[in-house]
């Protein structure tokens, strides 16, 4: 949580432009209660989503130059995580793994949860009309 807070402080908020327009459209399409904050981080490859009540999507700096189709695809996937509440499930999986550190089954369950979370977010993006 501290690392995420530090990352957010170093990032710049996106308030206008194609990223914000796509985010607003997806917020409506997925019936999200709150729009996600979009942050541009100085990190060249980091793309992450976190938060349940106040979701955040962190984007790498080069993302500002991406074409509209890629922006829509990336946000559809990331907003799929937000709509499904994946961040909370992943935190709970991490806590379970920490509690059962020596149990290989805990590691396997966490790994499967992450993989299924990614597939489910891809499915959300596909239902929104992406190829």
């Amino acid at each position: 949580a501290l690392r995420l807070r530090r990352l957010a402080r170093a990032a710049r908020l996106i308030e206008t432009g194609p990223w914000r327009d796509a985010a607003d459209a997806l917020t409506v399409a997925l019936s999200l209660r709150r729009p996600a904050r979009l942050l541009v981080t100085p990190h060249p490859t980091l793309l992450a989503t976190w938060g349940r009540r106040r979701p955040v999507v962190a984007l790498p700096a080069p993302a500002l130059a991406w074409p509209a189709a890629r922006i829509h695809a990336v946000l559809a996937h990331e907003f799929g995580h937000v709509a499904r509440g994946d961040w909370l499930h992943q935190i709970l999986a991490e806590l379970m793994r920490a509690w059962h550190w020596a149990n290989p089954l805990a590691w396997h369950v966490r790994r499967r949860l992450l993989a299924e979370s990614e597939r489910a977010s891809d499915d959300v993006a596909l239902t929104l009309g992406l190829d």
Side-chain angles (χ1 to χ4, degrees):
L2 292 174
R3 291 176 90 188
L4 291 176
R5 187 175 297 169
R6 194 173 306 129
L7 177 72
R9 283 188 189 144
R12 184 173 53 91
L13 182 65
I14 298 176
E15 297 181 281
T16 61
W19 280 97
R20 187 72 258 164
D21 295 341
D24 291 341
L26 288 166
T27 297
V28 171
L30 293 171
S31 301
L32 299 177
R33 292 182 189 176
R34 294 186 177 168
R37 289 187 314 143
L38 302 177
L39 302 177
V40 176
T41 68
H43 195 283
T45 59
L46 177 73
L47 179 60
T49 302
W50 68 87
R52 177 129 174 102
R53 283 184 280 142
R54 294 175 45 199
V56 174
V57 176
L59 305 163
L64 294 177
W66 290 351
R70 186 171 182 187
I71 290 170
H72 184 70
V74 167
L75 282 183
H77 175 89
E78 295 304 320
F79 276 39
H81 287 299
V82 172
R84 293 173 26 81
D86 286 344
W87 189 75
L88 177 62
H89 298 136
Q90 290 174 5
I91 292 297
L92 292 173
E94 290 295 336
L95 291 171
M96 181 269 310
R97 182 178 66 154
W99 186 260
H100 298 284
W101 187 261
N103 186 343
L105 184 59
W107 289 75
H108 176 73
V109 167
R110 178 197 161 269
R111 188 171 39 255
R112 291 290 304 166
L113 175 81
L114 294 177
E116 291 304 320
S117 170
E118 291 302 317
R119 283 190 194 102
S121 287
D122 287 343
D123 288 345
V124 169
L126 291 172
T127 63
L128 293 171
L130 296 177
D131 293 336

